[in-house]
Amino acid sequence: MRTVDLRSDTVTLPTKEMLDAILVAKLGDDIHEEDETVKKLEELAAQRLGKEAGLMVPSGTMGNLLSILTHTGRGNEVIAGKSSHVFLYEVGGMASIAGAQARTVDDSPGFMKPADIKAAIRPDDIHHPKIALLCLENTHNMAGGTCLTPDQMSEYREIADSANLKLHVDGARIFNSAIAQGIAASKLAREADSVMFCLSKGLSAPIGSMLVGSEDFIGQARKNRKMLGGGMRQAGIIAAPGIIALNSMVDRLVEDHKNARLLAEGLSKMPGIIIDLAKVQTNIVRFDIDVKIDGPIFIDKLAQRGIKAFCLPGYGIRMVTHRHVSEDDIHFTLAAMEQMMK
Ligand code: TLP
């Protein structure tokens, strides 16, 4: 049966060039900082994001956790979006491992309103925890891949500075945001103290994410990575595809964005589908079904027609375009959805 897997861009497989690069990668013990390929990737990542240093980590989840662990102390407060990945989908690592407490702010439009963040920042008081970190998400996964702009980033920086907070960006898909806005990713990272981005999503590397920031921050994060068991030895076999991801796979994200738009516009014409086209800015299409069938049942029936999608709370569905989804696959998906809705 023909299958279109729209569950996530995490399902992308490495390219042949990536697999070939693994075979010839120069390796060494990365705990001793002797793996040349890892070093090269870390330098490249830092340079792309305009930061002093980079650290390769096994996953985006570990990158975000390391950032929180490094920027905050036990009992500190982290301001994050109510539907942010770091709050909803990282197994509570912020609380259980970093010992930090989340203070959530509405982010349903895909961003937190500056006034809401200011209201969440409590003044110094004997009763209050130290408020240590503001955590942003660009693109915003649950809002449907929406982008934060450089202007918004400047505003968030001002707020962070006024309260002496560090600023971290969960930029799992920051290159999607940069490509969609036609700007360099470094412009989106400029105001941040740290940025995490993933190599293993739309960029198609099989494993890995990067954390970037100042030399000092990355030095501490490196130590914390070791503590979490995330220090790796001949990790150049992971870094080699990562280098190709950064050098060759960024520009093609435009294709994924075009396909997402085509999908969203097709869906918007179907009765029973509620979708906000303005929020379809990158490779994520999220919509609600107004048919009173439970999301998981709908997803199951859709899978029987060869379309795999991701179920969101309530009647929400997420479809993510990526390298293995062609324009023709979008037409196939739309035809299946049309039948389903009938
Ligand atoms: N997101 C995954 C799932 O966990 C939901 C997906 O399919 O989208 N930040 C953001 C914004 C993410 O979307 C993800 C993964 C992560 C962090 C975590 O990355 P990994 O999966 O590498 O730990």
Side-chain angles (χ1 to χ4, degrees), residues 51-100:
K51 297 291 176 207
E52 283 173 11
L55 183 71
M56 188 176 82
V57 287
S59 67
T61 302
M62 189 185 278
N64 282 336
L65 176 60
L66 277 179
S67 175
I68 293 170
L69 199 54
T70 308
H71 282 310
T72 70
R74 294 192 72 76
N76 288 179
E77 202 161 77
V78 175
I79 297 181
K82 257 184 193 151
S83 61
S84 61
H85 196 278
V86 78
F87 177 61
L88 284 186
Y89 295 109
E90 298 185 6
V91 208
M94 173 192 312
S96 69
I97 299 173

Side-chain angles (χ1 to χ4, degrees), residues 7-10 59-62 64 85 89-90 137 139 141 170 172-173 196 198 200-201 209 310 318:
R7 284 171 302 167
S8 183
D9 45 9
T10 57
S59 67
T61 302
M62 189 185 278
N64 282 336
H85 196 278
Y89 295 109
E90 298 185 6
E137 190 171 313
T139 65
N141 187 341
D170 172 352
R173 297 182 179 84
M196 182 285 290
C198 295
S200 60
K201 297 196 164 57
S209 294
F310 188 90
R318 184 189 77 161

